[in-house]
């Protein structure tokens, strides 16, 4: 028999090793054991009620394609999108797009992040910032207000503001930008035009 039993005053503690009979003796039921609890939205104690409502709304509008999932077709969303699996089709999003897996198609969003290991074969357009982390790869043209690139790019870049090329970045294509910052180790194989 386990050291702790289900106790309503302690919030329902069940010790490892409890049997179904132990739980039933202390007032629990099979239904209580099987019912998963809803995971609350993480909220800061300093958030106002409006901030909390906005965070809940974003979470409810989020779209996630899991690591083991493959999706074929165009994807349109108002809330943020995270792609950990594979998408074959165009993505249009009114919010941020995070690519951890692979996308074969064009991406349009309000902020695009391609993490290490993320791959895109298609054009990317971001109305704000575009970030490629170390180990990411894009085959296609990219357009954004600001760019921070550490990955491998085969395609032309059009940046309205500042383009920051990190030490691990490799660009095979022409660049058009207002400002450019490069770190020692960045490679560019193409023309650079300053606006």
């Amino acid at each position: 028999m386990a050291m702790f039993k289900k106790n309503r005053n302690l919030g329902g503690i069940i010790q490892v090793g409890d049997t179904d009979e132990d739980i039933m003796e202390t007032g629990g039921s099979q239904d209580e054991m099987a019912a998963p609890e809803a995971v609350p939205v993480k909220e800061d104690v300093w958030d106002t009620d409006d901030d909390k409502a906005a965070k809940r709304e974003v979470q409810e509008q989020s779209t996630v394609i899991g690591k083991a999932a493959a999706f074929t077709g165009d994807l349109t969303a108002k809330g943020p999108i995270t792609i950990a699996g594979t998408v074959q089709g165009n993505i249009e999003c009114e919010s941020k797009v995070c690519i951890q897996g692979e996308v074969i198609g064009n991406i349009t969003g309000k902020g695009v992040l391609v993490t290490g290991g993320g791959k895109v074969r298609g054009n990317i357009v971001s109305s704000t910032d575009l970030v490629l982390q170390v180990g990411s790869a894009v085959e296609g043209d990219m357009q954004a207000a600001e760019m921070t690139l550490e990955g491998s790019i085969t395609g032309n870049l059009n940046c309205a503001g500042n383009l920051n090329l990190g030490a691990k970045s490799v660009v095979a294509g022409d660049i058009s930008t207002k400002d450019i910052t490069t770190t020692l180790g960045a490679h560019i194989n193409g023309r650079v035009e300053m606006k």
Side-chain angles (χ1 to χ4, degrees), residues 93-177:
C93 182
E94 293 179 20
S95 188
K96 296 183 183 277
V97 179
C98 177
I99 308 299
Q100 300 168 349
E102 183 176 1
V103 174
I104 302 167
N106 298 328
I107 300 171
T108 303
K110 183 180 179 182
V112 177
L113 167 66
V114 183
T115 65
K119 293 180 173 70
V120 177
R121 286 195 336 223
N123 300 328
I124 300 175
V125 176
S126 173
S127 59
T128 59
D129 58 323
L130 176 73
V131 177
L132 301 184
Q133 293 181 341
V134 175
S136 62
V138 174
E139 294 178 25
D141 296 341
M142 298 191 304
Q143 179 181 334
E146 303 283 332
M147 292 185 189
T148 302
L149 310 177
E150 284 277 357
S152 171
I153 303 101
T154 304
N156 299 323
L157 309 180
N158 185 352
C159 183
N162 188 49
L163 168 63
N164 183 6
L165 295 176
K168 302 281 185 180
S169 62
V170 178
V171 179
D174 295 340
I175 297 172
S176 176
T177 185

Side-chain angles (χ1 to χ4, degrees), residues 41-56:
V41 176
K42 185 172 180 171
E43 296 172 343
D44 193 312
V45 293
W46 301 107
D47 284 347
T48 66
D49 288 341
D50 290 341
D51 292 339
K52 291 175 184 177
K55 284 182 181 180
R56 271 188 237 105

Side-chain angles (χ1 to χ4, degrees), residues 12-86:
I13 295 174
I14 298 174
Q15 178 68 23
V16 174
D18 280 350
T19 65
D20 290 346
E21 293 79 26
D22 293 334
I23 295 167
M24 297 297 277
E25 285 173 14
T26 58
S29 70
Q30 291 284 7
D31 293 336
E32 286 178 348
M33 284 179 35
E37 292 184 29
V39 178
V41 176
K42 185 172 180 171
E43 296 172 343
D44 193 312
V45 293
W46 301 107
D47 284 347
T48 66
D49 288 341
D50 290 341
D51 292 339
K52 291 175 184 177
K55 284 182 181 180
R56 271 188 237 105
E57 186 176 344
V58 166
Q59 185 181 35
E60 290 168 2
Q61 292 180 356
S62 294
T63 301
V64 177
I65 304 294
K67 199 171 191 175
F71 179 85
T72 302
D74 293 345
L75 184 59
T76 303
K78 288 186 177 187
I81 297 176
T82 300
I83 308 294
T86 304

